[in-house]
Amino acid sequence: MAAVAKRPPLTVSLLWRALLRATSSKTVWAMLAGGAMAMLIRYLQDMLRRFQQQEAESLWRRHVDLGVVQACLLTTEHLKSLGRVEKRTLFVKPIAEVFRNEYVLANVLRTAEKAVAKNEPFLVTHMSQEDKWHVLTTCTNHLSSCFAPYHVFFNEARRVESYYQSAWYVFTLTCAQTEASGRWFITPLKPVGKNDVGMLRIRILMMNEQELRDISSGAIEPPSFGFFNGRHESRWTTCQRFAELFGRQLTRVAGTDDVGGAEWGPNLCGRLSNSKKKGSNPLLSSMGSGPPEPEENCILRIHVPFPAGKGGGIEESDSRRLEECVSKDVVLFE
C-alpha cells in the first residue's frame, strides 16, 4: 500500500501567500472597490438624510416655512363689529412651482431674508424695478388661475344677459412672522404662552381695492373697544402699510391726494418715456424725469369676476361694461 503524502503544516506565511494569490485577480479588486464605494455612498446618504431631518425639525420649531408660497385674502368685514381682520387662504404651493426660474427663486428668497432682517414685511420694496415687475406678474398668473372659469363666463356676459359682475383687487408680496398671541381662544384652559408665533412664510397678499381706499382715506378705522387679539392687531398693521403703498401709487398716477375718489385714468398701461404713441397716458409720461423710489411699483391690480345675486342685464351701457371687463395694470414702468 502506497504511503500517503504528508501535507506541509499550515503556517501564517502559507496563508499570506494564498491570500495574495487570491487577491491578485482584477475581478476581486473591482468587487472590493465596488463594495467600499457602495458603503461610502450609503453612509453619505444617511448623513444627508439625518441633516435634512434635523434642519426640518429646527425650521418647524422656529415656525419658518420658506418652502411654500401662500396666497391669502385679508378683509376687514368683521373689523368694526368684532375687531377682527380675517385671513382667507386662496392656495398654498411649493415656492419652486410658483417661481420656476432658479435665478428669480433665489432672488425672492434672498430678498425675503433681507426684508425679515429689516422688519419690512413687504419684500418687494427691496427689489429692483425690473425684478418687481417680473415677480408680481408671475404672481398675477397664479392668482388669476384661481378664478379661471369665471373669466370665461364674465367675458360672455358682455353679449348675453348674465349675473356676472367684476371687482378690482390689489396684491403684493410679503414675508413676515406674526409674533402676537392669537390661539388662546382655541385652548382657553391652557394658553400657548410666549412661543405663540405665526409661521414665517412668503405670502401673496390680496385685498379689495375699495377697502384699501377706505383705509387710506380713514373711512375704515380700528374699533374703539380694541382688537380681538394681538394677531388681528398685527394684521391691521399690515393692512395699513398695504394701504399706504396703494395710496402712494394712486396719488402719483391720479395727481391728487383724494385717495377715496381718485381714478386710475383711461389708460393704465402708459409708458414713462416721452413716447407720442396713441393711447399713451400723458400723466405717466410726465413722471419719467426721475427714477421710481423703492416704495413705488410695489402693487398690481387684478380683475376678479364673480357671480352676483342680481345681474345688471344687457341694457347697461357698452362703455361701462367694457370698463368692467378690461384688465389694467397700475405700474409706472418703462
Side-chain angles (χ1 to χ4, degrees), residues 9 68 140 200 206 313:
V68 300
T140 301
L200 178 62
M206 188 169 77

Side-chain angles (χ1 to χ4, degrees), residues 138-160:
T138 298
C139 296
T140 301
N141 296 331
H142 289 274
L143 277 179
S144 184
S145 65
C146 294
F147 319 102
Y150 291 166
H151 289 296
V152 178
F153 301 153
F154 184 75
N155 187 62
E156 293 304 313
R158 297 180 300 172
R159 303 176 178 86
V160 298

Side-chain angles (χ1 to χ4, degrees), residues 8 97 162 167 183 196 207:
E97 181 180 333
S162 172
R183 292 183 294 167
D196 180 21
M207 287 192 69

Side-chain angles (χ1 to χ4, degrees), residues 48 65 137 158 162 253 273 286 290 313-314 329:
L48 178 61
D65 186 8
T137 50
R158 297 180 300 172
S162 172
V253 171
S273 63
S286 65
I314 58 176
D329 293 327

Side-chain angles (χ1 to χ4, degrees), residues 43-105:
Y43 174 76
L44 293 177
Q45 287 177 339
D46 291 340
M47 291 289 293
L48 178 61
R49 189 180 300 109
R50 284 196 293 268
F51 173 77
Q52 291 175 339
Q53 291 175 348
Q54 293 174 357
E55 182 69 13
E57 181 181 358
S58 174
L59 292 174
W60 174 256
R61 296 191 181 280
R62 290 187 289 119
H63 296 80
V64 176
D65 186 8
L66 298 180
V68 300
V69 173
Q70 179 190 49
C72 56
L73 171 70
L74 288 185
T75 173
T76 59
E77 59 177 326
H78 295 148
L79 178 64
K80 185 177 180 180
S81 58
L82 300 176
R84 295 173 60 92
V85 177
E86 307 293 353
K87 185 181 77 171
R88 319 291 190 190
T89 299
L90 301 178
F91 65 76
V92 177
K93 296 182 180 181
I95 190 170
E97 181 180 333
V98 177
F99 303 106
R100 294 184 177 274
N101 184 282
E102 293 185 1
Y103 167 77
V104 175
L105 174 59

Side-chain angles (χ1 to χ4, degrees), residues 59-66 70 87 116 175-183 192-203 230-232 234-235:
L59 292 174
W60 174 256
R61 296 191 181 280
R62 290 187 289 119
H63 296 80
V64 176
D65 186 8
L66 298 180
Q70 179 190 49
K87 185 181 77 171
V116 172
C175 182
Q177 182 178 40
T178 305
E179 297 183 356
S181 61
R183 292 183 294 167
V192 291
K194 296 181 180 180
N195 294 326
D196 180 21
V197 297
M199 189 67 70
L200 178 62
R201 183 176 289 148
I202 296 176
R203 294 179 175 89
R231 189 69 57 89
H232 291 270
S234 177
R235 290 176 185 171

